[in-house]
Amino acid sequence: MKKIEAIIKPFKLDEVKDALNSIGVQGMTVTEVKGFGRQKGHVELYRGAEYDVSFVPKIKIEAVVPDNMADKTVSLIESRAKTGKIGDGKIFVSSVAQVVRIRTGETGESAI
Amino acid sequence: MKKIEAIIKPFKLDEVKDALNSIGVQGMTVTEVKGFGRQKGHVELYRGAEYDVSFVPKIKIEAVVPDNMADKTVSLIESRAKTGKIGDGKIFVSSVAQVVRIRTGETGESAI
Amino acid sequence: MKKIEAIIKPFKLDEVKDALNSIGVQGMTVTEVKGFGRQKGHVELYRGAEYDVSFVPKIKIEAVVPDNMADKTVSLIESRAKTGKIGDGKIFVSSVAQVVRIRTGETGESAI
Amino acid sequence: MRPLIGLLIILSLVLSAGLLFAEDQVQKTNPPSQAEQHAAAQPASAAAAPAPKLDTGDTAWMIVATAMVMLMSIPGLALFYGGLAKRKDSLNTMAMTFVTFCIVSLLWIFYGYSFSFGADIAGLIGGGEKLLLRGIGPNSISDLAKTIPEYIYVVYQLTFAAITVALASGAYIERMKFSAWMLFTILWFSFVYIPIAHWVWGGGFLARIGALDFAGGTVVHINAGIAALVGALILGKRNEKALMPGNLTLVVTGAGLLWFGWFGFNAGSAVAANGIAGAAFINTNTATAAAAVSWMLVEWIHSKKPTVLGLASGAVGGLVAITPAAGFVNITGAIIIGMAAGIIPFFAVAMLKPKLGYDDTLDAFGIHGVGGTLGALMTGIFADPSINEGGKGLLYGNPGQFLTQLIAVGTTVLYSGIVTAIIFMIIKAVVGLRVETEDEIIGLDESQHGERAYNL
Amino acid sequence: MRPLIGLLIILSLVLSAGLLFAEDQVQKTNPPSQAEQHAAAQPASAAAAPAPKLDTGDTAWMIVATAMVMLMSIPGLALFYGGLAKRKDSLNTMAMTFVTFCIVSLLWIFYGYSFSFGADIAGLIGGGEKLLLRGIGPNSISDLAKTIPEYIYVVYQLTFAAITVALASGAYIERMKFSAWMLFTILWFSFVYIPIAHWVWGGGFLARIGALDFAGGTVVHINAGIAALVGALILGKRNEKALMPGNLTLVVTGAGLLWFGWFGFNAGSAVAANGIAGAAFINTNTATAAAAVSWMLVEWIHSKKPTVLGLASGAVGGLVAITPAAGFVNITGAIIIGMAAGIIPFFAVAMLKPKLGYDDTLDAFGIHGVGGTLGALMTGIFADPSINEGGKGLLYGNPGQFLTQLIAVGTTVLYSGIVTAIIFMIIKAVVGLRVETEDEIIGLDESQHGERAYNL
Amino acid sequence: MRPLIGLLIILSLVLSAGLLFAEDQVQKTNPPSQAEQHAAAQPASAAAAPAPKLDTGDTAWMIVATAMVMLMSIPGLALFYGGLAKRKDSLNTMAMTFVTFCIVSLLWIFYGYSFSFGADIAGLIGGGEKLLLRGIGPNSISDLAKTIPEYIYVVYQLTFAAITVALASGAYIERMKFSAWMLFTILWFSFVYIPIAHWVWGGGFLARIGALDFAGGTVVHINAGIAALVGALILGKRNEKALMPGNLTLVVTGAGLLWFGWFGFNAGSAVAANGIAGAAFINTNTATAAAAVSWMLVEWIHSKKPTVLGLASGAVGGLVAITPAAGFVNITGAIIIGMAAGIIPFFAVAMLKPKLGYDDTLDAFGIHGVGGTLGALMTGIFADPSINEGGKGLLYGNPGQFLTQLIAVGTTVLYSGIVTAIIFMIIKAVVGLRVETEDEIIGLDESQHGERAYNL
Ligand SMILES: Nc1ncnc2c1ncn2[C@@H]1O[C@H](COP(=O)(O)OP(=O)(O)O)[C@@H](O)[C@H]1O
Ligand SMILES: Nc1ncnc2c1ncn2[C@@H]1O[C@H](COP(=O)(O)OP(=O)(O)O)[C@@H](O)[C@H]1O
Ligand SMILES: Nc1ncnc2c1ncn2[C@@H]1O[C@H](COP(=O)(O)OP(=O)(O)O)[C@@H](O)[C@H]1O
C-alpha cells in the first residue's frame, strides 16, 4: 500500500477531496500546516510598516491507498490542486507496510 | 525501526497513551487532525437549519518503535482505541531508516 | 529521496529553518504538535494547585530531500536544534518513493 | 484604489447635493417640528409644554444612554456578527459595523440630523437649517428633548442611525466588497434612513397619523430587515452556504453587550429619567428573557438540542420585538411579545428561509425584519394607556391603532425595499457588489483587508 | 425531550403553588415592610422618612446601576467562568449563566419580587400582593427606594437574584446536565434565594435583628458559595480534575466587566446618587485592588510566579469581600478587608480544597463562600458610624454587631446548605445530575448543545 | 522572589518618604487650590463660585463616568494591547495593565490624591493634608468638583492616573520583566504622573499660566507617549521585531470599549451633567469617527488595503487628539482635529518610526505622544469661547494661547523624558529591565507567569 501525502493550497481542499471521493478514495486525514518554499510567505502591512510572514498556510492531505490506486490518486490530486501559480505544493508517495482498521481488526488492503 | 501512525477518536487519547507507556513506549508525537472517512462528519443545527460538517475531529499519534515492538504496539493501540463504532480509525505501519536523538546524538534503536 | 522528520523545540524553529535554507533546502512543511517523551510536560499552578500538563508543545519539520543531501540535513538539524537539555527532540529518516510538484508536474528529485 | 476613488466621488456628490438643497431650505421659515413619538413618552404633566430647561438627572441618564447605544455597535454588534461569521470572514464582518459607525457619525453631523430632525417640510423631510449643526451650542435644547443638551440628543439619534445601517450587513457578509459596503452605507443612510427617521420621529407624516414606535421598530428594525432581505436577494448566494460560526464566545459576548446597550436604546427613548423609562426598562428585560427561553424551548423540541446560539438569537429577537412597544405596553404585554419573538423569528429562520431560498447569512431579515414587524403590530394591540397615555392599542378599545401600525409597517417595507434595490443597482454599476469567488473562498479578511483574525 | 418535559412539569408546579399561596395572602392586610438595610444607607436627613418623590438624578444612577449589574451576568460572569472552563466545556458554562439570567428574569416578575419584597409575613417571607407586579405602574415608588420608579427597583433586585444563582454554577461545570441546571435554577431561586433575600433585605427576621449586609455578602455570596460546596459534594468529582482554562483572555475580560458592573452592585446599593454611594464606590475599588495585589504576592511567594489568573481571582475575591461592607466601612477598613480577601480565599483554594477533596471546578465556594463570610464578619468589626450611621462595628464600640453577623452567616449557611442538598436530591430523582462519562470526555458543548466554541 | 523583595523595598521607601514629607507639609496652612482647568469647564453662571452642594444628576453622571474610565483600563486597554501582542505575550501584556491599575489604585489613596490635588505648594506639588484621604468623608465635596461627593472625584482622578501609566506599557511589551514593570509603575506614577497632574489640574504652575487641557492631552497622552519613547529606546529592540497581532478580535473589542469609556473620560471632565459635557461628548465622537476614516483612507492609498487595525488605530488616535480639546472646540474644530489625528500619527508610525529605529511595540509614542501633542497644540488654535468661555484659541484672536500650549507641551516632554530615563536607570540597577532572550522567544506568558492564553 502507498501513502500519498499532498501539500496543497487550503482553498483547493474541497475540490481535491470531492475528486478523491469520486474515484473511491473514501478515507483521508487532513492537517493544517505551515509551508515554507519558493512561495515566500507574504508581507503584512500593519500600521503602514511591512512585516514578513515567512510561511504560507497550507493543507496536508494524507491518504493511504492500495498500490494499484496510487498513480491514479496522484495524478488526480495533481490536476485538481493545480492553479499554475507558485505555491501549488507537492505530492509525496511512500510505502506503507501494514494497515489496521481499528473497529474491525481487518488488516491490509481491505482495511483501507 | 517502524513508525506506527494511528488515527483515533480524540477522547481515546489518554487511554491509548497510558497503555503505550505501560509497555515501554515512552515517546510519541500527537497532532490534531480532521478525518474524512466512512464516519460522515456530522450535522450541525444552527437556528434550525442543518449544515453538514464533512470532517470529524481526530487525533493522530505517531510513535517510532524498534522492529520487535511494532506488533505489540499495534495490537495494543487497536484494543484500546476500539469502541466498535464507526470512525474508530486506522493504524498505519511503515519503515524508518534512521533515528537521531538530538540532545545526545545517539542514533538507531537506542535513540528512540 | 528521503523524508527528514524532525521534532524540535518551538523556539528553535527559526534557527533550524535558516540553517536549512543556507544549505539549499528551500522547501519544508511545519506542523504544531504535542510531544510526549522523557521531558515530562510541565506542572501548571493555577490558584495554588498543581496540574500536570502531560504534553510539551513541539514543532514538527518535514523536509523531503535528495538522497545525497539527507545526512547533511540531519546533522545540520541536529546541531542547530540542540540545547543539550531534555526534550530536544528526535529526527526520523525514511524513504520516499516519488515526489510530484503540482504546479509543473515535474517528478523525482527535480520536483523537490 | 479604483473603488476608493468611486467612493470619494459619490460621497462628494451626496454631500454637495445635500448642501445645495439645504441652502435652498434655510431661506424659508419653517414652523417648529411637531411634538412626536418621544414627546408622547413624557408623563402627563409634561403635556403643558414647559419651557425647555436642562435637568441634570435627565442629562446624566441620556449621556450614558447615548454611550450605551454606541457600545451596541462597537463592539456589541461587531462581536455578535463577527463571531457568527466564518473564521476567515470575521474581521471583515467587524469592519463593516466599525466603518459604518464612523461614516454615519460624520454624515449625521453634516446633514443627517438636519434632514431628519430639522423643521418638517411637507411631512417628508427635515429642513436644512441645522446642517453641520448650525446654530446649536452647549446651551441649546431641542423641542424634542426638553431637559437635556441638544448636543446629547444629536448623538443619541446618531447612534440609532449608525446601528440601523450596520444591522443590514448581517445579510451581506462573506461575499460583499468592502468598498461596496461603504458606498451602501453612504447611500442607504442618506436616502432610506434619514427620510424614514423623519417620518416617524421628526414630525413627518407617519408621526402625524399617530403611528406608535417607541424606540425604533419600524425606523430601525423593519427598515434594516427589509434592506437585508432585498440586498441578500440581489447579492445572491454565497459559495459556501453554511452558517459556520467562527467563535461563539464572541457571539455570547456580543449578545450580552447588545442586551446591556439596549437598555439605553429603549429606556433612553423616554428621553428622561422617569417612570416611562422604568417601564421601558422592565419590559425590555422581561421580553428578552421570555424570547430567549422560548427560542431555546422551540429549538429543543424542533432540533433536539438547546443551543447557546439559540439563547442568544432568541434574546436578540426579544430585544427587537419589544423595541417599538417598550414604553407603551404593560408587563403582560411584554411577556407575550417576548414569547412570540422567540417563536416566530425562529420559524422564519428555520423554515421560511430554506423555502424561499434567499441567502441571508446571519438572518438579519429573519430576526430584525420579522421581529420588528411583530413588535410594531403587537404594539398596536397591547399599547396600554395606563402605562403611557400616548398609546392605546386594540385591546384597550382602539382598533384603529392596529391599522395605523399596519400602514407604518407597510410604508416602511415598501419604501425601504424599493430604494434599497435601486441603491444596490447603483453600487453594482459603480464599484461592483461581490468579491471574486477565489477571494470569497480564501476569506474576506485576507482578500479585503490583508489581515487574519487570529495568529494562534 | 424527556428532561424538557420534566422541567416543564416542575415549573408549572412551582408556579401554581406560588400563585395559590399568593391568593391566600392577598386577602390579609399586611403592614408595610420594615425600613431595611438599604434605607440605613440613606444619609441622616432621610431618616425623617420624607414622602416618596422621584429624583431624576437618583433615577438616572439606578437605571444605569441596574444595567451594570445585568452586565455582570451576561457577558461578565459568562466570560469569567467560560474562559476558565476547558475549551470543550466553555459554551455550556456560558449557557448556564445565560439561561439562569433569563429564567430568573421571568420568575422574578411572576413571584420572586412579591415573595422577597412584598409585605412581610412573620419575618419569613414576603406577601403575594405583588405577584406579576400587580399594582405597580410607571408612577409607583417603593418604600424601600423612595426616589426612583419601582419598576427600576424591581429589575435592580432581579439582577442580584440572577447572578446569585449563576455564581453557584462555577462549582458544577464540566459534568452537570443542562436540564439539571435549569431545574436547579428554578428550585434554588424559589426556595433558597427568595427567603434569604426577604430575611435580610425584605424586612425579615435578619433585618430585624440588625444584621448588616450592604450589597449582598450573605444573600449573594455566602449563599451561592454554600450552594456551590454542597452541590459539588453531591455531584462528585469530574473525570479530569485539572483546571485547564480554555481561554484566559476571556477571563481577564470577564474580570474587568465584573469589576465595572460591581460598582453598580455596591454603589447602587445606596439606591441613590449620594455620598454613601461615593463611599461604597471608593471602598469597592480600593479593596479590589488590594486583594488583587495581595493574592498575586502570596501566589508569587507560594508558587514562584505571579499569574494573570491570580490577579483576576484576587480582584474577584476583593469584590466579594467588600460587598457587605462597602457602604459601612472607611477606607482603612476597605484596605484591610481587601488584603485579607486576597490571602484567605487563596489558601482556601490552594490548601483547603485539596485537603477536603471536594471538586469545586472554579472555586465558587473558595472565593464566594469564604470571601463572603470574611466580608460579612469584618463588616461587624469595621463598620464605622461616621461613614454610615446605620452601622456600628466592634471597633467602634459595638461588639454585639459581630455576634449579629455571626448569626446571619450561620443562618444562611445552615439554611442554604440543607435546602440545596434537598434540591439536589430532587433533581437527581427527576432528571438526573450528571452527563454520561463519554459525554463528559467529549465535552459538554458538543454533548449538551451540539456546538463548538471555536472553528479556528 | 528576588525581584519581589526589591520591589517591596522600593515601595516602602517611596511610601515613607511621602509620609515624612507630608507630615512636614500638614503643619503649614495652605490657601485653597486655584480654580483650575475643570472649573473653567463650568458654564458662566458657575463663575459666581456657589457654595458646594451635591447635585444628584451630576453625581449620577460622575459615578458612571468614573466606572467608564475604569473600564477603559480593564478590560479596554488590556484587550486592545493584549490582542495586538504576539499570542505568546498576550497575557503578560494584559497583566501589565491589570497590575498597574491595582497598584495605582492603592498608591492614589495613600498619597497620590493628596500630592496631586492637595493644597498647592509653590506651584509644584500638592500638600500632604489628604494622605490616606484624611478628612474626607461621605459628605465631603471638593472645591474642584462642587456638586459631587469628593469620594467620587478621588476615584475619577485615580482612573486617569492608572490608565496613563498603563498606556506606556504598549512600547515596552514582549521583552520587559514583569517585576521591572511593577517597579516602573510605582516610580513613574510617583515622580512623573503626580507632579504633572498637579501642575495642570491641581492648581500648579501650568494651570496658572492658563494652559488648556480639557481631559488630559498633556497630563495623560503626551506624558505617557514620551515615557513610551524613552523607555523603548533604553529597553532596546525586541528579538522578533514584527507586529504580529495574536488576536485582532480582541483589538476591535478593546477599541470599542475604549471609545465607550472615553465618553466618561472626556465628557466626564466637565465634572457635571451639562452642556459642556454635551459638547465634549459630541466632539469626542465626531473626531474619533473622522480619525478612523482618515487613517483608513490614508492607509488604503499608502498600503493598498484598508485594515481593521487601521480603523481601530485611527479611532484611538482621534480619541487621543480630541482629549485636550473636547470641551473647548466647536464641531468644525473637532472634525479638523480628528482628520489630522488619522493622518499625522499614521505617518509617525509608518514613516518616522522605521527611520528613527526605536522599537515601540504598539506605537504608544506614535499614537499617544504624537496624537496628544497634536491635540494640545490644536486646542490652542481652535478653542472657541462660544463653546467654553474658559478657552480662547488663536483663531478667535488669542495667539498667546498657542504659545502657552507650546510651553505646556514642552515642559511635559522635558520633564517626563528626563525623569523616565532616570527611572529606567534605577530599575535596571535594582531588578534589571529585560527577560532572557530564550524567555523572550518562548514568550512572556510562559516565562513570566507560567500561563498560556489559549488551550484551544
Ligand atoms: N522539500 C520539501 N519538503 C517538504 N515540503 C515541501 C518541500 N518543498 C515544498 N514543500 C511544501 O510545498 C509548499 C509549496 O512549495 P513552493 O516551493 O512554495 O511552491 P511550488 O510547489 O509551486 O514550487 C511549501 O509551502 C511547502 O509546504
Ligand atoms: N485511507 C485512509 N488514509 C488516511 N486516513 C484514513 C484513511 N481511511 C480512514 N482514515 C482516517 O481514519 C478515520 C476513521 O475512518 P472511518 O472510515 O471514518 O471509520 P472506520 O475506521 O471505523 O472505518 C478517518 O476519519 C480518517 O481520518
Ligand atoms: N519514539 C518516538 N516516536 C515519536 N516521537 C517521539 C518519540 N520519542 C520522542 N518523540 C518526540 O520527541 C520529543 C522529545 O523527546 P524526549 O524524550 O522528551 O526528549 P529527548 O529527545 O531529549 O530524549 C517528544 O516530546 C516527542 O514529541
Side-chain angles (χ1 to χ4, degrees), chain D residues 7-145:
Chain D
L7 262 178
L8 292 175
I9 293 174
I10 295 273
L11 182 54
S12 354
L13 288 177
V14 172
L15 264 174
S16 25
L19 292 167
L20 279 175
F21 175 71
E23 283 313 313
D24 202 43
Q25 288 309 321
V26 155
Q27 326 286 335
K28 314 173 195 168
T29 0
N30 282 294
S33 129
Q34 301 291 324
E36 48 73 80
Q37 204 58 42
H38 292 281
Q42 305 280 357
S45 58
K53 182 173 169 337
L54 192 138
D55 175 284
T56 58
D58 290 348
T59 301
W61 164 228
M62 292 309 297
I63 293 178
V64 181
T66 304
M68 286 167 81
V69 187
M70 177 266 149
L71 190 74
M72 288 175 68
S73 290
I74 322 176
L77 188 69
L79 285 169
F80 188 73
Y81 277 1
L84 280 173
K86 297 196 175 77
R87 172 186 50 161
K88 62 187 178 182
D89 300 307
S90 53
L91 286 180
N92 174 253
T93 302
M94 296 177 104
M96 289 169 88
T97 293
F98 204 123
V99 82
T100 291
F101 191 88
C102 295
I103 293 176
V104 171
S105 283
L106 296 174
L107 301 185
W108 186 257
I109 302 295
F110 294 164
Y111 57 80
Y113 181 66
S114 195
F115 291 148
S116 304
F117 291 91
D120 178 59
I121 300 170
L124 291 176
I125 194 78
E129 74 277 12
K130 292 186 172 179
L131 285 173
L132 250 172
L133 308 191
R134 216 179 315 177
I136 305 179
N139 299 316
S140 308
I141 296 184
S142 157
D143 269 350
L144 300 174

Side-chain angles (χ1 to χ4, degrees), chain A residues 7-8 33-40 56 58 85-90 92, chain C residues 25-30 62-65 100-104 111-112:
Chain A
I7 319 287
I8 62 169
V33 296
K34 300 178 175 176
F36 296 84
R38 277 167 195 77
Q39 186 193 1
K40 273 296 164 238
V56 192
K58 298 278 173 195
K85 281 182 248 154
I86 196 164
D88 274 353
K90 300 269 153 63
F92 305 125
Chain C
V25 179
Q26 296 289 348
M28 67 195 92
T29 300
V30 167
E62 288 167 289
V64 172
V65 297
V100 181
R101 160 171 293 145
I102 294 172
R103 168 165 54 102
T104 57
I112 292 178

Side-chain angles (χ1 to χ4, degrees), chain A residues 27-29 62-65 101-103 112, chain B residues 7 34-39 56 58 85-90 92:
Chain A
M28 67 195 91
T29 300
E62 288 167 288
V64 173
V65 298
R101 163 172 290 146
I102 294 172
R103 170 165 53 103
I112 291 178
Chain B
I7 318 287
K34 299 178 178 177
F36 296 83
R38 276 167 196 77
Q39 186 193 1
V56 193
K58 298 280 173 192
K85 282 183 247 154
I86 197 164
D88 274 352
K90 300 270 153 62
F92 306 125

Side-chain angles (χ1 to χ4, degrees), chain D residues 436-456:
Chain D
E436 301 296 314
T437 305
E438 188 178 330
D439 287 346
E440 193 183 327
I441 296 175
I442 288 173
L444 275 73
D445 290 2
E446 179 68 37
S447 67
Q448 300 295 292
H449 308 287
E451 290 172 297
R452 263 164 310 144
Y454 310 98
N455 284 303
L456 293 181

Side-chain angles (χ1 to χ4, degrees), chain C residues 5 19 21 23 29 32 36 41-42 48 63 76 80-81 84 92 101:
Chain C
E5 214 171 334
N21 283 347
I23 60 162
T29 300
E32 293 182 8
F36 296 83
H42 62 294
L76 192 66
R80 294 310 165 92
F92 305 126
R101 160 171 293 145

